[in-house]
Structures are given as structure tokens and as C-alpha cells.
Amino acid sequence: MVRLRAARLTARARLTLLQTALVLAAGAALTGLTNLLMRRHTFFSRLLDVSGAGPVATPPLMPTVVDPQVFADRVQTATLSALLPQAGLALIVVTALAAVLGWLVAGRVLRPIRVISSTARRLSAENLTERVPVTNPADELSALAGTVNDMLDRIQRGLFERDRVLDSQRLFTANAAHELRTPLTTARTAIDVTLDGHPSRAELLAMAGDVRGSVEHMQRVLDGLLLLARSQAGLAAREPVDLAAVAAAALDAAGARAAAAGVAVRCELRPAQVSGEPVLLERMVGNLVDNAVRYNVAGGRLVVGTGTAGGRAILRISNTGRPVPPGEAETLLEPFVHGQGTRVRTDGLGLGLGLSIVRAVTLAHRGRIAVAARTGGGLDITIAFPQNPVTKDARSQDIDSLQEMALP
């Protein structure tokens, strides 16, 4: 029962009791030592020596008929009898004062811990912005407050990453469910219509072709969605990548299609080093070039430029094409959106994931993307990635070149 009651005491009460007990023990020890020393003292015996040769050389104050030793013992006994009650009373007063001061001091010392506890109680999964105030001077309690704040920062970053991954997964699930419904329905319809009766070999081959086309379409959709989800989940590792080399490879891969479509390609590729994941950056530039060729017009133009400006690596792609309302240019960055801000079917005009993947890769590399509709039709897309600082002359030269390369 005593242990249960002691366990219910607060830390402040326990510290107060400990300090009071220490003061009481020290006072009792001091009183006992004083009493012991008084009992062994022989001052009165020497003072009352009948020969008068005491330390103060004063004549005895009592009649010579009284034994000096007996008188000294009586004085010592009376002194000790008067000392003990007074010492006990002083000890009680000092102990009470120590209890009050111990309570105040314990409250002062434990105040930062109470602040930490109250702050922790106010925090929740939805509110992690509050922090524990760090007091001065820098002692153990301020170090504890700093540790708690660091822990809250890590928890907040972890929850942010968790929410981002969950949002990416939810987006992937919703898009996959929507986009796979059409090819699955097409394949099932082809199978049901063909098998309704006695199909010939030609009909079976036609059905197989339709089913294969639907499967290939679903594979392209899933590949695009997986890459989109991977980009939105963040980067696993970073490597030095030159956007100029990536853009040159993308233009070489799209050169035949651009020539077949009658699109004139012009490029000015200056070194633009970034730190990122090469596969994602290659897919990003490839999507930009592919979209610029696919949605261009016969006899159109495509301009690609890379360089550095203001401590950033710049990639700029400008192409002619059908007119795009200025207010709807940004909506093209959403998945499965193609003009007019509406969701598109993924047959014929592509998957509708190209620019959404570009934006996801840009954000994963902490870059910025700007999409602007050109007056004569087409888009002007500029992407900026952080990089190491460069000289002022190089910055101005590269940015001026990029601006001159934009289509009029």
C-alpha cells in the first residue's frame, strides 16, 4: 500500500521529500555531533580548578566546600538539557523552511519538463507544427527540448513522405482502374462476339489481333502509370547527368518520326549538369520531344535548347502545333488530360501521360516547370533544375541563347 501511494507522488513531490529528508538528516547529525562534543569538553573542570590557575585566571565562583568536579558535571548536564530542546526546535524550523524551498526549487527545475509534456499532449498526427521552446542557458533540459524538436521534425518529414506516397498510390490506382476499363471491355467484347456461334479461322485471327492490341495498350498504360508513380515517390539515388547529352539522344531517337512528319528540328545544346536519376530524366526529355513531334503540324518546327542560368540547369522546348487556350496550358500537366481540361481516351492520340510524367520527374528533382501557349499554336515549355553555381558570364551567355532560340 505504501509503494502504491509513493508511486502516485509527482516528481516535484518526490524531489521535495528527498531534499527535506537530506536537510533533516544533516541537521540531526549536526545536533548529535554538537551534543557529543559538549559532553567530552572539559572547559568547566579547568575553569573551576581550586588552584585558580585556569585559562582566564579568575577566582572560583562557588564556595570551596563544594567539589569542583561535581559542580562542573552539574553545569554540563544543565547546559546539555537546555541545548537539546532548542536544537530540536531549530531543526524543526530549518526542516520546514527546507521543505518550502525544496518545493519551489523543484517546481522551477521541472518547469521545462512540464512545458515539454503539455506541448506533446497538444500534438497530433494533424498538428505537428508546434515546437518545444528551448530555454537558456544550454543545460540538460534545453538539450532535451532540442532533442524533442528534432524528433518532431523527423516525424513530420516522415508523415509528409508517407502522405505523398499514399497520394501517389491512390492516383495510380484510380488512373489504372479508369484507363484499363476501356481495353478490357474491348477485349471482352471481341471475345464474346467472336465466340457467339461457330467462328471461322479468319474471325479467330481477327479476335486474337484485337485482344493483342488491347493487351499492348494496357501494357503501355501500366508502364506509364508505374513511371508516374515512381517519379512521384521520390528519388532513390542521384548521379551527375548532362541535359545536353540526354536531349541529343532524344532528338536522335525522334529524328526519323520528325522527318516523316515534316517537322524541322533546330537545337542548341550547351552543357547543363544536374544531379538526378538518369532513367527518369531520359524519359522526361523523351516525352517532351515525343509530344512536340506528335502534336505538331505538317511543316512545323521544333526547337530544343539547354544551358545554365542563375545557378540552374535549363531545358527549353518550343514547338508549333494546334492552338491552345492560354488558360488551359497548365491543365495539360494533369494525367489523361488533353486540351479543354477534359479527360481523354487513350486510343489514337496517345496515353495522355506524357506531360504529367514530365511534371512528376521535374518535381522529384526539385525543379520547376513552366508551360506557356504560343500565340500561333503549340507550346513553349521551360524546365529549371538546381545545379552548382556557374560564372556570371556563362549564365548570361546561356540564358541569352535560350531566349533567342524560342520560336517567334
Side-chain angles (χ1 to χ4, degrees):
M1 190 66 177
V2 176
R3 291 182 180 179
L4 291 177
R5 290 180 179 177
R8 294 175 183 174
L9 293 176
T10 62
R12 185 178 186 181
R14 289 197 296 270
L15 285 176
T16 301
L17 290 177
L18 178 61
Q19 295 177 9
T20 303
L22 291 176
V23 171
L24 180 60
L30 180 61
T31 302
L33 181 62
T34 303
N35 187 32
L36 178 62
L37 293 176
M38 288 294 294
R39 287 182 182 279
R40 298 183 61 181
H41 205 279
T42 59
F43 172 78
F44 288 102
S45 297
R46 294 196 304 270
L47 181 65
L48 300 176
D49 191 353
V50 293
S51 63
V56 291
T58 55
L61 300 178
M62 65 287 188
T64 57
V65 296
V66 180
D67 187 359
Q69 185 63 38
V70 174
F71 181 76
D73 292 341
R74 291 177 180 177
V75 172
Q76 184 180 23
T77 302
T79 302
L80 293 176
S81 299
L83 175 64
L84 288 177
Q86 295 178 2
L89 179 61
L91 182 60
I92 294 174
V93 174
V94 171
T95 302
L97 182 61
V100 175
L101 293 179
W103 178 263
L104 297 177
V105 172
R108 177 70 177 179
V109 171
L110 295 176
R111 182 180 301 170
I113 298 180
R114 291 197 302 271
V115 173
I116 295 175
S117 179
S118 61
T119 302
R121 278 195 298 267
R122 289 193 299 269
L123 295 175
S124 63
E126 291 75 21
N127 178 25
L128 290 175
T129 58
E130 190 172 358
R131 293 295 181 266
V132 179
V134 179
T135 59
N136 290 322
D139 53 8
E140 290 81 358
L141 293 177
S142 62
L144 175 60
T147 302
V148 171
N149 290 336
D150 293 339
M151 179 187 66
L152 292 174
D153 292 337
R154 291 192 297 270
I155 292 175
Q156 190 173 17
R157 287 194 298 268
L159 290 176
F160 175 77
E161 293 296 329
R162 182 207 64 180
D163 294 340
R164 187 176 67 172
V165 172
L166 289 178
D167 291 341
S168 176
Q169 292 177 349
R170 283 192 292 265
L171 180 62
F172 173 82
T173 302
N175 289 332
H178 184 276
E179 296 305 320
L180 294 179
R181 184 180 296 112
T182 299
L184 286 174
T185 302
T186 301
R188 182 173 181 177
T189 301
I191 294 173
D192 291 341
V193 171
T194 304
L195 297 181
D196 186 15
H198 301 281
S200 63
R201 178 180 175 83
E203 292 175 341
L204 291 175
L205 291 176
M207 177 196 70
D210 293 338
V211 172
R212 180 172 182 173
S214 299
V215 171
E216 292 176 351
H217 181 77
M218 287 187 289
Q219 184 177 359
R220 292 196 302 270
V221 172
L222 288 176
D223 289 342
L225 288 174
L226 287 173
L227 182 61
L228 180 61
R230 178 184 173 187
S231 303
Q232 292 173 336
L235 302 181
R238 289 178 176 268
E239 299 178 13
V241 180
D242 188 0
L243 291 180
V246 175
L251 290 173
D252 290 339
R257 289 185 286 111
V263 176
V265 179
R266 184 166 64 97
C267 60
E268 185 173 341
L269 305 178
R270 296 178 179 272
Q273 293 287 337
V274 297
S275 177
E277 191 168 344
V279 175
L280 294 180
L281 291 173
E282 290 170 3
R283 186 61 183 271
M284 178 198 72
V285 179
N287 283 355
L288 287 172
V289 174
D290 181 72
N291 280 2
V293 173
R294 176 177 301 179
Y295 299 111
N296 216 309
V297 294
R301 289 170 294 171
L302 168 61
V303 176
V304 179
T306 60
T308 56
R312 291 179 173 271
I314 307 298
L315 169 66
R316 187 169 187 177
I317 294 182
S318 182
N319 65 280
T320 55
R322 67 174 181 82
V324 178
E328 296 181 2
E330 292 292 336
T331 63
L332 299 177
L333 298 176
E334 299 297 329
F336 306 106
V337 173
H338 178 69
Q340 306 302 322
T342 58
R343 196 177 185 90
V344 297
R345 299 174 60 86
T346 58
D347 49 355
L349 292 178
L351 298 179
L353 287 171
L355 291 182
S356 61
I357 292 176
V358 169
R359 183 181 66 171
V361 173
T362 302
L363 296 179
H365 289 79
R366 298 183 179 180
R368 294 181 298 182
I369 181 172
V371 181
R374 298 183 61 254
T375 305
L379 294 175
D380 188 358
I381 300 177
T382 303
I383 300 177
F385 294 104
Q387 63 144 198
N388 295 330
V390 295
T391 62
K392 181 177 181 181
D393 294 339
R395 287 200 304 266
S396 60
Q397 181 180 4
D398 289 352
I399 191 62
D400 291 342
S401 299
L402 290 175
Q403 291 174 349
E404 293 174 358
M405 289 181 61
L407 289 174

